Short mmCIF file of all heavy atoms in Angstrom, two decimals:
data_model
loop_
_atom_site.label_atom_id
_atom_site.label_comp_id
_atom_site.label_asym_id
_atom_site.label_seq_id
_atom_site.Cartn_x
_atom_site.Cartn_y
_atom_site.Cartn_z
N MET D 1 -9.23 3.89 13.25
CA MET D 1 -8.76 4.46 11.99
C MET D 1 -7.24 4.30 11.91
O MET D 1 -6.52 4.67 12.80
CB MET D 1 -9.15 5.92 11.92
CG MET D 1 -8.80 6.56 10.62
SD MET D 1 -9.70 8.13 10.49
CE MET D 1 -8.84 8.82 9.13
N SER D 2 -6.81 3.74 10.81
CA SER D 2 -5.39 3.47 10.58
C SER D 2 -4.69 4.70 10.01
O SER D 2 -5.28 5.51 9.31
CB SER D 2 -5.26 2.31 9.60
OG SER D 2 -3.95 2.20 9.12
N LYS D 3 -3.41 4.80 10.30
CA LYS D 3 -2.63 5.91 9.73
C LYS D 3 -2.47 5.74 8.22
O LYS D 3 -2.08 6.68 7.53
CB LYS D 3 -1.28 6.04 10.42
CG LYS D 3 -0.31 4.90 10.21
CD LYS D 3 0.96 5.19 11.00
CE LYS D 3 2.06 4.20 10.74
NZ LYS D 3 3.29 4.57 11.44
N TYR D 4 -2.79 4.56 7.69
CA TYR D 4 -2.69 4.31 6.25
C TYR D 4 -4.04 4.33 5.55
O TYR D 4 -4.13 3.94 4.38
CB TYR D 4 -1.97 2.98 5.99
CG TYR D 4 -0.50 3.03 6.30
CD1 TYR D 4 0.01 2.48 7.46
CD2 TYR D 4 0.40 3.64 5.43
CE1 TYR D 4 1.37 2.53 7.76
CE2 TYR D 4 1.75 3.70 5.71
CZ TYR D 4 2.23 3.14 6.87
OH TYR D 4 3.58 3.20 7.15
N ASN D 5 -5.11 4.77 6.20
CA ASN D 5 -6.44 4.77 5.58
C ASN D 5 -6.48 5.49 4.24
O ASN D 5 -7.14 5.02 3.31
CB ASN D 5 -7.49 5.36 6.52
CG ASN D 5 -8.05 4.34 7.47
OD1 ASN D 5 -7.68 3.17 7.44
ND2 ASN D 5 -8.93 4.78 8.34
N ALA D 6 -5.81 6.62 4.12
CA ALA D 6 -5.81 7.36 2.86
C ALA D 6 -5.21 6.51 1.74
O ALA D 6 -5.71 6.51 0.60
CB ALA D 6 -5.06 8.68 2.99
N LEU D 7 -4.17 5.77 2.05
CA LEU D 7 -3.54 4.89 1.07
C LEU D 7 -4.47 3.74 0.71
O LEU D 7 -4.64 3.41 -0.47
CB LEU D 7 -2.21 4.35 1.61
CG LEU D 7 -1.49 3.33 0.72
CD1 LEU D 7 -1.14 3.93 -0.64
CD2 LEU D 7 -0.26 2.80 1.42
N TRP D 8 -5.10 3.13 1.71
CA TRP D 8 -6.01 2.00 1.43
C TRP D 8 -7.17 2.45 0.55
O TRP D 8 -7.56 1.74 -0.37
CB TRP D 8 -6.54 1.39 2.72
CG TRP D 8 -5.55 0.92 3.74
CD1 TRP D 8 -5.77 0.82 5.08
CD2 TRP D 8 -4.20 0.45 3.55
NE1 TRP D 8 -4.66 0.33 5.72
CE2 TRP D 8 -3.67 0.10 4.81
CE3 TRP D 8 -3.37 0.30 2.44
CZ2 TRP D 8 -2.38 -0.40 4.99
CZ3 TRP D 8 -2.09 -0.18 2.61
CH2 TRP D 8 -1.60 -0.53 3.86
N GLU D 9 -7.71 3.63 0.81
CA GLU D 9 -8.79 4.16 -0.02
C GLU D 9 -8.32 4.39 -1.46
O GLU D 9 -9.04 4.10 -2.41
CB GLU D 9 -9.35 5.46 0.57
CG GLU D 9 -10.17 5.26 1.82
CD GLU D 9 -11.49 4.53 1.59
OE1 GLU D 9 -12.02 4.55 0.46
OE2 GLU D 9 -12.00 3.92 2.56
N TYR D 10 -7.11 4.93 -1.59
CA TYR D 10 -6.55 5.16 -2.92
C TYR D 10 -6.41 3.84 -3.68
O TYR D 10 -6.76 3.75 -4.86
CB TYR D 10 -5.18 5.84 -2.81
CG TYR D 10 -4.49 6.01 -4.14
CD1 TYR D 10 -4.73 7.14 -4.91
CD2 TYR D 10 -3.62 5.04 -4.64
CE1 TYR D 10 -4.12 7.31 -6.15
CE2 TYR D 10 -3.01 5.20 -5.87
CZ TYR D 10 -3.26 6.33 -6.61
OH TYR D 10 -2.66 6.48 -7.84
N VAL D 11 -5.89 2.82 -3.02
CA VAL D 11 -5.70 1.51 -3.64
C VAL D 11 -7.05 0.95 -4.09
O VAL D 11 -7.20 0.49 -5.21
CB VAL D 11 -4.99 0.53 -2.67
CG1 VAL D 11 -5.01 -0.89 -3.20
CG2 VAL D 11 -3.55 0.99 -2.44
N LYS D 12 -8.04 1.03 -3.21
CA LYS D 12 -9.38 0.53 -3.53
C LYS D 12 -9.97 1.26 -4.74
O LYS D 12 -10.53 0.64 -5.65
CB LYS D 12 -10.29 0.70 -2.32
CG LYS D 12 -11.71 0.21 -2.53
CD LYS D 12 -12.52 0.45 -1.28
CE LYS D 12 -13.98 0.13 -1.51
NZ LYS D 12 -14.80 0.45 -0.34
N GLU D 13 -9.84 2.57 -4.77
CA GLU D 13 -10.39 3.38 -5.86
C GLU D 13 -9.63 3.17 -7.17
O GLU D 13 -10.20 3.39 -8.24
CB GLU D 13 -10.40 4.85 -5.47
CG GLU D 13 -11.41 5.15 -4.37
CD GLU D 13 -11.33 6.58 -3.87
OE1 GLU D 13 -10.70 7.43 -4.54
OE2 GLU D 13 -11.90 6.84 -2.80
N ASN D 14 -8.37 2.76 -7.10
CA ASN D 14 -7.59 2.51 -8.30
C ASN D 14 -8.26 1.46 -9.17
O ASN D 14 -8.36 1.61 -10.38
CB ASN D 14 -6.16 2.09 -7.94
CG ASN D 14 -5.30 1.82 -9.15
OD1 ASN D 14 -5.47 0.81 -9.82
ND2 ASN D 14 -4.39 2.74 -9.42
N GLY D 15 -8.70 0.37 -8.54
CA GLY D 15 -9.45 -0.66 -9.24
C GLY D 15 -8.66 -1.60 -10.11
O GLY D 15 -9.21 -2.58 -10.62
N SER D 16 -7.38 -1.35 -10.33
CA SER D 16 -6.56 -2.23 -11.16
C SER D 16 -6.33 -3.57 -10.46
O SER D 16 -6.32 -3.64 -9.24
CB SER D 16 -5.20 -1.59 -11.45
OG SER D 16 -5.36 -0.40 -12.17
N LYS D 17 -6.13 -4.60 -11.27
CA LYS D 17 -5.89 -5.93 -10.71
C LYS D 17 -4.55 -5.96 -9.97
O LYS D 17 -4.45 -6.48 -8.87
CB LYS D 17 -5.90 -6.98 -11.82
CG LYS D 17 -5.83 -8.39 -11.30
CD LYS D 17 -6.04 -9.41 -12.39
CE LYS D 17 -5.98 -10.80 -11.78
NZ LYS D 17 -6.37 -11.83 -12.72
N THR D 18 -3.52 -5.41 -10.58
CA THR D 18 -2.18 -5.32 -9.98
C THR D 18 -1.56 -3.99 -10.40
O THR D 18 -1.66 -3.60 -11.56
CB THR D 18 -1.28 -6.47 -10.47
OG1 THR D 18 -1.87 -7.71 -10.11
CG2 THR D 18 0.10 -6.40 -9.84
N PHE D 19 -0.93 -3.30 -9.47
CA PHE D 19 -0.22 -2.07 -9.80
C PHE D 19 0.88 -1.82 -8.78
O PHE D 19 0.91 -2.42 -7.72
CB PHE D 19 -1.17 -0.88 -9.93
CG PHE D 19 -1.86 -0.50 -8.66
CD1 PHE D 19 -1.39 0.55 -7.88
CD2 PHE D 19 -3.00 -1.17 -8.24
CE1 PHE D 19 -2.03 0.91 -6.71
CE2 PHE D 19 -3.65 -0.81 -7.08
CZ PHE D 19 -3.16 0.23 -6.31
N VAL D 20 1.79 -0.92 -9.14
CA VAL D 20 2.96 -0.62 -8.31
C VAL D 20 2.96 0.85 -7.93
O VAL D 20 2.65 1.71 -8.75
CB VAL D 20 4.26 -0.95 -9.10
CG1 VAL D 20 5.49 -0.60 -8.27
CG2 VAL D 20 4.29 -2.40 -9.52
N LEU D 21 3.30 1.12 -6.68
CA LEU D 21 3.52 2.48 -6.22
C LEU D 21 4.92 2.57 -5.63
O LEU D 21 5.38 1.62 -4.98
CB LEU D 21 2.51 2.87 -5.14
CG LEU D 21 1.05 3.01 -5.55
CD1 LEU D 21 0.19 3.28 -4.33
CD2 LEU D 21 0.87 4.13 -6.56
N THR D 22 5.57 3.70 -5.84
CA THR D 22 6.88 3.92 -5.22
C THR D 22 6.66 4.38 -3.78
O THR D 22 5.57 4.85 -3.42
CB THR D 22 7.68 4.99 -5.97
OG1 THR D 22 6.99 6.25 -5.85
CG2 THR D 22 7.86 4.64 -7.44
N PHE D 23 7.70 4.26 -2.97
CA PHE D 23 7.62 4.75 -1.59
C PHE D 23 7.26 6.24 -1.59
O PHE D 23 6.50 6.70 -0.76
CB PHE D 23 8.95 4.55 -0.86
CG PHE D 23 9.28 3.11 -0.51
CD1 PHE D 23 8.48 2.05 -0.91
CD2 PHE D 23 10.40 2.83 0.22
CE1 PHE D 23 8.79 0.74 -0.57
CE2 PHE D 23 10.73 1.52 0.57
CZ PHE D 23 9.93 0.47 0.18
N GLU D 24 7.81 6.99 -2.55
CA GLU D 24 7.54 8.42 -2.64
C GLU D 24 6.06 8.68 -2.93
O GLU D 24 5.45 9.57 -2.33
CB GLU D 24 8.41 9.05 -3.73
CG GLU D 24 8.29 10.56 -3.81
CD GLU D 24 9.22 11.17 -4.85
OE1 GLU D 24 10.26 10.57 -5.17
OE2 GLU D 24 8.88 12.26 -5.34
N GLU D 25 5.48 7.90 -3.84
CA GLU D 25 4.06 8.05 -4.16
C GLU D 25 3.20 7.71 -2.94
O GLU D 25 2.22 8.40 -2.64
CB GLU D 25 3.66 7.15 -5.34
CG GLU D 25 4.24 7.61 -6.66
CD GLU D 25 4.07 6.60 -7.77
OE1 GLU D 25 4.18 5.37 -7.52
OE2 GLU D 25 3.81 7.03 -8.92
N ILE D 26 3.58 6.65 -2.23
CA ILE D 26 2.85 6.25 -1.03
C ILE D 26 2.90 7.36 0.01
O ILE D 26 1.89 7.68 0.64
CB ILE D 26 3.40 4.92 -0.47
CG1 ILE D 26 3.04 3.77 -1.42
CG2 ILE D 26 2.89 4.67 0.95
CD1 ILE D 26 3.72 2.45 -1.10
N GLU D 27 4.06 7.96 0.17
CA GLU D 27 4.22 9.06 1.13
C GLU D 27 3.29 10.22 0.78
O GLU D 27 2.64 10.80 1.65
CB GLU D 27 5.66 9.54 1.14
CG GLU D 27 5.93 10.63 2.15
CD GLU D 27 7.40 11.02 2.23
OE1 GLU D 27 8.26 10.15 2.00
OE2 GLU D 27 7.66 12.20 2.51
N LYS D 28 3.19 10.56 -0.50
CA LYS D 28 2.32 11.66 -0.93
C LYS D 28 0.85 11.33 -0.71
O LYS D 28 0.07 12.17 -0.28
CB LYS D 28 2.56 11.99 -2.41
CG LYS D 28 3.87 12.69 -2.65
CD LYS D 28 4.08 12.96 -4.12
CE LYS D 28 5.45 13.58 -4.35
NZ LYS D 28 5.75 13.75 -5.78
N ILE D 29 0.46 10.09 -1.01
CA ILE D 29 -0.93 9.67 -0.87
C ILE D 29 -1.33 9.58 0.61
O ILE D 29 -2.38 10.07 1.01
CB ILE D 29 -1.17 8.32 -1.57
CG1 ILE D 29 -0.98 8.47 -3.08
CG2 ILE D 29 -2.57 7.78 -1.26
CD1 ILE D 29 -0.81 7.15 -3.82
N ALA D 30 -0.50 8.92 1.40
CA ALA D 30 -0.81 8.69 2.81
C ALA D 30 -0.53 9.90 3.70
O ALA D 30 -1.07 10.01 4.79
CB ALA D 30 -0.02 7.48 3.33
N GLY D 31 0.35 10.77 3.24
CA GLY D 31 0.72 11.93 4.03
C GLY D 31 1.74 11.62 5.11
O GLY D 31 2.00 12.45 5.98
N ILE D 32 2.30 10.40 5.06
CA ILE D 32 3.32 9.98 6.01
C ILE D 32 4.37 9.14 5.29
O ILE D 32 4.09 8.57 4.23
CB ILE D 32 2.73 9.15 7.18
CG1 ILE D 32 1.97 7.93 6.63
CG2 ILE D 32 1.86 9.99 8.08
CD1 ILE D 32 1.51 6.96 7.70
N SER D 33 5.54 9.06 5.87
CA SER D 33 6.59 8.22 5.29
C SER D 33 6.30 6.75 5.57
O SER D 33 5.77 6.41 6.62
CB SER D 33 7.95 8.57 5.91
OG SER D 33 8.30 9.89 5.60
N ILE D 34 6.64 5.91 4.61
CA ILE D 34 6.50 4.47 4.81
C ILE D 34 7.65 4.02 5.73
O ILE D 34 8.79 4.46 5.58
CB ILE D 34 6.51 3.72 3.47
CG1 ILE D 34 6.11 2.25 3.66
CG2 ILE D 34 7.81 3.86 2.75
CD1 ILE D 34 5.86 1.51 2.35
N ASP D 35 7.31 3.21 6.72
CA ASP D 35 8.32 2.72 7.66
C ASP D 35 8.03 1.26 7.98
O ASP D 35 7.16 0.65 7.38
CB ASP D 35 8.36 3.59 8.92
CG ASP D 35 7.03 3.65 9.65
OD1 ASP D 35 6.18 2.76 9.44
OD2 ASP D 35 6.84 4.59 10.44
N HIS D 36 8.75 0.71 8.96
CA HIS D 36 8.58 -0.70 9.30
C HIS D 36 7.17 -1.03 9.78
O HIS D 36 6.73 -2.17 9.67
CB HIS D 36 9.62 -1.13 10.34
CG HIS D 36 10.97 -1.33 9.75
ND1 HIS D 36 11.87 -0.31 9.62
CD2 HIS D 36 11.55 -2.43 9.22
CE1 HIS D 36 12.97 -0.76 9.05
NE2 HIS D 36 12.81 -2.05 8.79
N SER D 37 6.46 -0.06 10.31
CA SER D 37 5.10 -0.32 10.77
C SER D 37 4.18 -0.70 9.61
O SER D 37 3.14 -1.33 9.81
CB SER D 37 4.52 0.89 11.51
OG SER D 37 4.21 1.94 10.63
N PHE D 38 4.58 -0.34 8.39
CA PHE D 38 3.79 -0.70 7.20
C PHE D 38 3.57 -2.21 7.15
O PHE D 38 2.51 -2.68 6.76
CB PHE D 38 4.50 -0.22 5.93
CG PHE D 38 3.72 -0.49 4.67
CD1 PHE D 38 2.64 0.31 4.33
CD2 PHE D 38 4.05 -1.53 3.84
CE1 PHE D 38 1.91 0.06 3.17
CE2 PHE D 38 3.35 -1.80 2.68
CZ PHE D 38 2.26 -0.99 2.35
N LEU D 39 4.57 -2.98 7.57
CA LEU D 39 4.46 -4.44 7.57
C LEU D 39 3.33 -4.91 8.49
O LEU D 39 2.66 -5.89 8.20
CB LEU D 39 5.79 -5.08 7.97
CG LEU D 39 6.96 -4.79 7.04
CD1 LEU D 39 8.24 -5.34 7.64
CD2 LEU D 39 6.72 -5.36 5.66
N LYS D 40 3.13 -4.20 9.59
CA LYS D 40 2.05 -4.53 10.52
C LYS D 40 0.70 -4.10 9.95
O LYS D 40 -0.28 -4.85 10.02
CB LYS D 40 2.31 -3.83 11.85
CG LYS D 40 1.20 -3.97 12.86
CD LYS D 40 1.53 -3.17 14.10
CE LYS D 40 0.27 -2.88 14.89
NZ LYS D 40 0.47 -1.89 15.92
N TYR D 41 0.65 -2.93 9.38
CA TYR D 41 -0.61 -2.36 8.91
C TYR D 41 -1.09 -2.94 7.58
O TYR D 41 -2.27 -2.86 7.28
CB TYR D 41 -0.49 -0.84 8.76
CG TYR D 41 -0.51 -0.10 10.07
CD1 TYR D 41 0.68 0.30 10.68
CD2 TYR D 41 -1.70 0.22 10.70
CE1 TYR D 41 0.67 0.99 11.88
CE2 TYR D 41 -1.73 0.91 11.90
CZ TYR D 41 -0.54 1.29 12.48
OH TYR D 41 -0.56 1.97 13.68
N LYS D 42 -0.21 -3.53 6.81
CA LYS D 42 -0.59 -3.99 5.46
C LYS D 42 -1.72 -5.01 5.46
O LYS D 42 -2.47 -5.10 4.50
CB LYS D 42 0.62 -4.52 4.70
CG LYS D 42 1.15 -5.85 5.19
CD LYS D 42 2.30 -6.32 4.35
CE LYS D 42 2.72 -7.72 4.79
NZ LYS D 42 3.73 -8.27 3.92
N LYS D 43 -1.90 -5.74 6.55
CA LYS D 43 -2.98 -6.73 6.61
C LYS D 43 -4.36 -6.06 6.59
O LYS D 43 -5.35 -6.69 6.24
CB LYS D 43 -2.81 -7.67 7.78
CG LYS D 43 -2.78 -7.02 9.13
CD LYS D 43 -2.44 -8.02 10.22
CE LYS D 43 -1.96 -7.27 11.46
NZ LYS D 43 -1.19 -8.07 12.33
N GLU D 44 -4.44 -4.78 6.96
CA GLU D 44 -5.70 -4.05 6.91
C GLU D 44 -6.23 -3.92 5.48
O GLU D 44 -7.43 -3.77 5.27
CB GLU D 44 -5.52 -2.63 7.48
CG GLU D 44 -5.13 -2.57 8.91
CD GLU D 44 -4.83 -1.16 9.36
OE1 GLU D 44 -4.63 -0.27 8.51
OE2 GLU D 44 -4.78 -0.95 10.57
N LEU D 45 -5.34 -3.99 4.54
CA LEU D 45 -5.70 -3.79 3.13
C LEU D 45 -6.68 -4.84 2.63
O LEU D 45 -7.47 -4.57 1.72
CB LEU D 45 -4.42 -3.79 2.27
CG LEU D 45 -4.54 -3.36 0.83
CD1 LEU D 45 -5.23 -2.02 0.68
CD2 LEU D 45 -3.17 -3.31 0.19
N ALA D 46 -6.70 -6.01 3.24
CA ALA D 46 -7.64 -7.07 2.84
C ALA D 46 -9.09 -6.60 2.98
O ALA D 46 -9.95 -7.00 2.19
CB ALA D 46 -7.40 -8.33 3.66
N ASP D 47 -9.35 -5.71 3.93
CA ASP D 47 -10.70 -5.17 4.09
C ASP D 47 -11.13 -4.31 2.90
O ASP D 47 -12.31 -4.02 2.73
CB ASP D 47 -10.79 -4.32 5.37
CG ASP D 47 -10.61 -5.14 6.63
OD1 ASP D 47 -10.82 -6.37 6.58
OD2 ASP D 47 -10.26 -4.55 7.68
N TYR D 48 -10.17 -3.93 2.08
CA TYR D 48 -10.43 -3.09 0.90
C TYR D 48 -10.34 -3.90 -0.40
O TYR D 48 -10.39 -3.35 -1.48
CB TYR D 48 -9.43 -1.93 0.86
CG TYR D 48 -9.61 -0.97 2.02
CD1 TYR D 48 -9.05 -1.23 3.25
CD2 TYR D 48 -10.36 0.19 1.87
CE1 TYR D 48 -9.22 -0.37 4.32
CE2 TYR D 48 -10.55 1.06 2.92
CZ TYR D 48 -9.97 0.78 4.15
OH TYR D 48 -10.16 1.65 5.20
N GLY D 49 -10.17 -5.23 -0.26
CA GLY D 49 -10.15 -6.10 -1.43
C GLY D 49 -8.80 -6.26 -2.09
O GLY D 49 -8.70 -6.75 -3.21
N TYR D 50 -7.74 -5.84 -1.39
CA TYR D 50 -6.39 -5.92 -1.95
C TYR D 50 -5.44 -6.55 -0.94
O TYR D 50 -5.75 -6.67 0.24
CB TYR D 50 -5.87 -4.53 -2.33
CG TYR D 50 -6.40 -4.04 -3.65
CD1 TYR D 50 -7.64 -3.44 -3.74
CD2 TYR D 50 -5.67 -4.19 -4.82
CE1 TYR D 50 -8.14 -2.99 -4.95
CE2 TYR D 50 -6.16 -3.74 -6.03
CZ TYR D 50 -7.39 -3.15 -6.09
OH TYR D 50 -7.88 -2.73 -7.29
N GLN D 51 -4.27 -6.90 -1.45
CA GLN D 51 -3.18 -7.36 -0.60
C GLN D 51 -1.88 -6.76 -1.11
O GLN D 51 -1.79 -6.35 -2.27
CB GLN D 51 -3.08 -8.89 -0.60
CG GLN D 51 -2.70 -9.48 -1.94
CD GLN D 51 -2.72 -11.00 -1.91
OE1 GLN D 51 -3.11 -11.61 -0.94
NE2 GLN D 51 -2.31 -11.60 -3.01
N VAL D 52 -0.90 -6.70 -0.23
CA VAL D 52 0.42 -6.24 -0.61
C VAL D 52 1.19 -7.44 -1.16
O VAL D 52 1.26 -8.48 -0.52
CB VAL D 52 1.17 -5.62 0.58
CG1 VAL D 52 2.62 -5.32 0.22
CG2 VAL D 52 0.47 -4.36 1.04
N GLY D 53 1.71 -7.29 -2.37
CA GLY D 53 2.54 -8.33 -2.96
C GLY D 53 3.98 -8.10 -2.55
O GLY D 53 4.29 -8.02 -1.36
N LYS D 54 4.83 -7.88 -3.50
CA LYS D 54 6.26 -7.70 -3.25
C LYS D 54 6.56 -6.27 -2.78
O LYS D 54 6.05 -5.30 -3.33
CB LYS D 54 7.04 -8.00 -4.52
CG LYS D 54 8.54 -7.87 -4.34
CD LYS D 54 9.28 -8.19 -5.61
CE LYS D 54 10.77 -8.03 -5.38
NZ LYS D 54 11.52 -8.19 -6.62
N ILE D 55 7.40 -6.19 -1.77
CA ILE D 55 7.95 -4.91 -1.32
C ILE D 55 9.42 -4.93 -1.67
O ILE D 55 10.16 -5.79 -1.19
CB ILE D 55 7.77 -4.71 0.19
CG1 ILE D 55 6.29 -4.73 0.57
CG2 ILE D 55 8.42 -3.40 0.63
CD1 ILE D 55 6.03 -4.74 2.07
N SER D 56 9.85 -4.01 -2.54
CA SER D 56 11.25 -3.96 -2.96
C SER D 56 11.95 -2.80 -2.28
O SER D 56 11.65 -1.63 -2.56
CB SER D 56 11.36 -3.81 -4.48
OG SER D 56 12.70 -3.60 -4.84
N MET D 57 12.87 -3.12 -1.39
CA MET D 57 13.65 -2.08 -0.73
C MET D 57 14.63 -1.46 -1.71
O MET D 57 14.89 -0.26 -1.66
CB MET D 57 14.39 -2.65 0.48
CG MET D 57 13.46 -3.20 1.56
SD MET D 57 12.23 -2.02 2.14
CE MET D 57 13.29 -0.87 3.02
N LYS D 58 15.17 -2.26 -2.62
CA LYS D 58 16.14 -1.78 -3.60
C LYS D 58 15.50 -0.76 -4.55
O LYS D 58 16.04 0.32 -4.78
CB LYS D 58 16.72 -2.95 -4.39
CG LYS D 58 17.75 -2.55 -5.41
CD LYS D 58 18.30 -3.75 -6.14
CE LYS D 58 19.31 -3.31 -7.19
NZ LYS D 58 19.81 -4.45 -7.96
N GLU D 59 14.34 -1.11 -5.09
CA GLU D 59 13.65 -0.23 -6.04
C GLU D 59 12.71 0.75 -5.34
O GLU D 59 12.17 1.64 -5.97
CB GLU D 59 12.88 -1.07 -7.05
CG GLU D 59 13.79 -1.92 -7.92
CD GLU D 59 13.00 -2.82 -8.87
OE1 GLU D 59 11.80 -2.59 -9.08
OE2 GLU D 59 13.62 -3.76 -9.39
N GLN D 60 12.50 0.54 -4.04
CA GLN D 60 11.60 1.35 -3.23
C GLN D 60 10.19 1.39 -3.84
O GLN D 60 9.62 2.45 -4.07
CB GLN D 60 12.16 2.76 -3.02
CG GLN D 60 13.43 2.74 -2.21
CD GLN D 60 13.75 4.09 -1.62
OE1 GLN D 60 13.42 5.13 -2.17
NE2 GLN D 60 14.42 4.08 -0.48
N THR D 61 9.66 0.18 -4.06
CA THR D 61 8.32 0.04 -4.62
C THR D 61 7.51 -0.99 -3.82
O THR D 61 8.07 -1.85 -3.14
CB THR D 61 8.35 -0.42 -6.09
OG1 THR D 61 9.06 -1.66 -6.18
CG2 THR D 61 9.02 0.61 -6.98
N VAL D 62 6.20 -0.88 -3.95
CA VAL D 62 5.27 -1.84 -3.34
C VAL D 62 4.29 -2.26 -4.43
O VAL D 62 3.73 -1.41 -5.12
CB VAL D 62 4.50 -1.23 -2.15
CG1 VAL D 62 3.50 -2.22 -1.59
CG2 VAL D 62 5.45 -0.75 -1.08
N VAL D 63 4.08 -3.57 -4.56
CA VAL D 63 3.10 -4.10 -5.51
C VAL D 63 1.81 -4.36 -4.75
O VAL D 63 1.81 -5.00 -3.69
CB VAL D 63 3.61 -5.42 -6.16
CG1 VAL D 63 2.54 -6.02 -7.05
CG2 VAL D 63 4.89 -5.17 -6.92
N PHE D 64 0.69 -3.88 -5.30
CA PHE D 64 -0.63 -4.10 -4.74
C PHE D 64 -1.38 -5.03 -5.68
O PHE D 64 -1.38 -4.81 -6.89
CB PHE D 64 -1.38 -2.79 -4.57
CG PHE D 64 -0.72 -1.86 -3.58
CD1 PHE D 64 0.21 -0.92 -3.99
CD2 PHE D 64 -1.04 -1.94 -2.23
CE1 PHE D 64 0.81 -0.07 -3.08
CE2 PHE D 64 -0.42 -1.10 -1.31
CZ PHE D 64 0.50 -0.17 -1.74
N GLN D 65 -2.05 -6.03 -5.11
CA GLN D 65 -2.77 -7.03 -5.92
C GLN D 65 -4.19 -7.16 -5.40
O GLN D 65 -4.43 -7.29 -4.20
CB GLN D 65 -2.09 -8.39 -5.81
CG GLN D 65 -0.65 -8.37 -6.30
CD GLN D 65 0.10 -9.64 -5.94
OE1 GLN D 65 -0.10 -10.20 -4.87
NE2 GLN D 65 0.96 -10.05 -6.84
N LYS D 66 -5.14 -7.17 -6.36
CA LYS D 66 -6.54 -7.37 -6.02
C LYS D 66 -6.75 -8.80 -5.58
O LYS D 66 -6.21 -9.73 -6.17
CB LYS D 66 -7.42 -7.05 -7.22
CG LYS D 66 -8.85 -6.81 -6.90
CD LYS D 66 -9.57 -6.25 -8.11
CE LYS D 66 -10.80 -5.51 -7.62
NZ LYS D 66 -11.43 -4.77 -8.69
N ILE D 67 -7.53 -8.99 -4.52
CA ILE D 67 -7.85 -10.33 -4.03
C ILE D 67 -9.04 -10.83 -4.84
O ILE D 67 -10.03 -10.13 -5.00
CB ILE D 67 -8.21 -10.30 -2.53
CG1 ILE D 67 -7.03 -9.77 -1.71
CG2 ILE D 67 -8.64 -11.67 -2.05
CD1 ILE D 67 -7.37 -9.48 -0.26
N ASN D 68 -8.93 -12.05 -5.33
CA ASN D 68 -10.02 -12.62 -6.15
C ASN D 68 -11.25 -12.91 -5.35
O ASN D 68 -11.33 -13.26 -4.29
CB ASN D 68 -9.56 -13.90 -6.84
CG ASN D 68 -8.47 -13.59 -7.84
OD1 ASN D 68 -8.44 -12.50 -8.39
ND2 ASN D 68 -7.59 -14.53 -8.07
#
């Protein structure tokens, strides 16, 4: 079980083709702060039918994209 499972479930349930979450929203959903380990864990998202697109440190956002 990944520390980001709550986030992956949220992304899957969202169902949108592409959407953006702020770091703050991710923290609330996952119950943990986003950190560098997110880069390692993001590949787990493919099991939920999504991938991480752009991560903006400046805007503190993450783009999630549905895998075709």
Side-chain angles (χ1 to χ4, degrees):
M1 184 165 167
S2 167
K3 67 182 187 176
Y4 288 102
N5 274 359
L7 176 60
W8 305 155
E9 288 292 336
Y10 175 88
V11 170
K12 180 181 173 184
E13 291 174 15
N14 180 287
S16 297
K17 187 172 182 172
T18 301
F19 65 99
V20 178
L21 292 175
T22 65
F23 288 4
E24 185 177 335
E25 290 169 323
I26 290 170
E27 183 176 328
K28 287 179 184 175
I29 295 164
I32 56 172
S33 297
I34 190 170
D35 58 20
H36 284 88
S37 73
F38 183 77
L39 298 173
K40 174 183 159 192
Y41 285 97
K42 71 178 186 174
K43 59 186 161 201
E44 297 174 344
L45 190 53
D47 294 339
Y48 295 83
Y50 280 83
Q51 65 184 6
V52 172
K54 182 179 179 186
I55 300 172
S56 173
M57 298 305 290
K58 181 179 178 183
E59 296 176 16
Q60 294 199 331
T61 58
V62 177
V63 175
F64 296 92
Q65 300 169 323
K66 198 169 203 171
I67 300 170
N68 294 331

